[in-house]
Amino acid sequence: MSYHKVLAALDRSSQGEDVFEEALNIAHTQKAELLLIFCTQRWTQMPAVPPVEAPTGTSLNPMMRMYPSMTETEVLQATEQEIKKSTAEAESWLHNYQTVAEKQGVYAQYRCIPSRGNPGELICKTAQEWNADLTVVGRTGRTGLEEAFLGSVSNHVVHHAPCSVLVVQDKN
């Protein structure tokens, strides 16, 4: 089977490097385009200020309960700043991967996708919109209750992607 468009779903773990290397190798040998994506984590989209204990029932907004010493406007501004900061860091990180790929003769582009839900769903949606032939994802090896509670991005992608999926197992 030949691939023309390879999507690599990366994260900031050491496994993300393995996923990149595998996707780059396939894109290089197949002379395929490479799309590098990163889904921002929900937890990075919160203000970088320490939360304090709030009296129950002080606000209906969960963010306001976590940061009662701040006004709603301050919480929203801090959240927006944190989102911009984490997005800029992710885009810089992805740009470095793009540069590595292009030095090896692989046309690459990247997208930083704000997480508004399940990263697995976002990966599948991006693969469909981009018409990917192959999606490369990592797998951390969660099983049992941990997988049931935390979910499995790779499991979701394997069962819902509109294309072939290569799962790179964590070496640890």
Side-chain angles (χ1 to χ4, degrees), residues 9 13 46 50 72 75 80 90 97 101 106 113-114 117 132 145 162:
S13 72
M46 295 176 67
E72 189 163 358
V75 169
E80 183 66 28
Y97 277 133
V106 174
I113 302 170
L145 288 177

Side-chain angles (χ1 to χ4, degrees), residues 6 17-28 134 136 166 168:
V6 177
E17 179 76 25
D18 296 337
V19 169
F20 171 73
E21 291 295 331
E22 191 66 36
L24 177 60
N25 183 45
I26 292 168
H28 185 264
L134 176 68
V136 183
L166 174 63
V168 178

Side-chain angles (χ1 to χ4, degrees), residues 32-82:
E33 292 179 50
L34 180 61
L35 176 60
L36 310 168
I37 67 168
F38 175 75
C39 298
T40 59
Q41 305 276 327
R42 280 181 234 139
W43 60 267
T44 63
Q45 297 176 355
M46 295 176 67
V49 295
V52 294
E53 193 66 34
T56 56
T58 57
S59 173
L60 295 176
N61 183 334
M63 293 295 287
M64 294 305 297
R65 279 187 252 139
M66 289 182 66
Y67 302 95
S69 63
M70 299 171 72
T71 67
E72 189 163 358
T73 301
E74 290 171 330
V75 169
L76 293 174
Q77 288 173 344
T79 301
E80 183 66 28
Q81 288 174 351
E82 190 65 23

Side-chain angles (χ1 to χ4, degrees), residues 39 116-127 153 156-157 160:
C39 298
R116 293 185 186 96
N118 179 337
E121 292 174 7
L122 296 170
I123 293 166
C124 291
K125 180 180 178 192
T126 303
V153 173
H156 183 90
V157 173
H160 297 94

Side-chain angles (χ1 to χ4, degrees), residues 12 38 40 85-95 110 112:
R12 302 291 296 265
F38 175 75
T40 59
K85 178 183 170 193
S86 66
T87 299
E89 289 172 358
E91 286 177 349
S92 174
W93 172 73
L94 289 170
H95 179 75
Y110 64 86
C112 185

Side-chain angles (χ1 to χ4, degrees), residues 101-165:
E102 289 182 343
K103 284 182 181 177
Q104 293 189 27
V106 174
Y107 174 75
Q109 53 187 310
Y110 64 86
R111 294 183 195 164
C112 185
I113 302 170
S115 178
R116 293 185 186 96
N118 179 337
E121 292 174 7
L122 296 170
I123 293 166
C124 291
K125 180 180 178 192
T126 303
Q128 181 175 11
E129 290 171 352
W130 192 60
N131 295 316
D133 301 311
L134 176 68
T135 297
V136 183
V137 295
R139 180 177 181 274
T140 59
R142 288 189 187 127
T143 58
L145 288 177
E146 186 179 28
E147 182 177 4
F149 285 115
L150 298 176
S152 169
V153 173
S154 60
N155 188 41
H156 183 90
V157 173
V158 164
H159 289 95
H160 297 94
C163 58
S164 296
V165 177

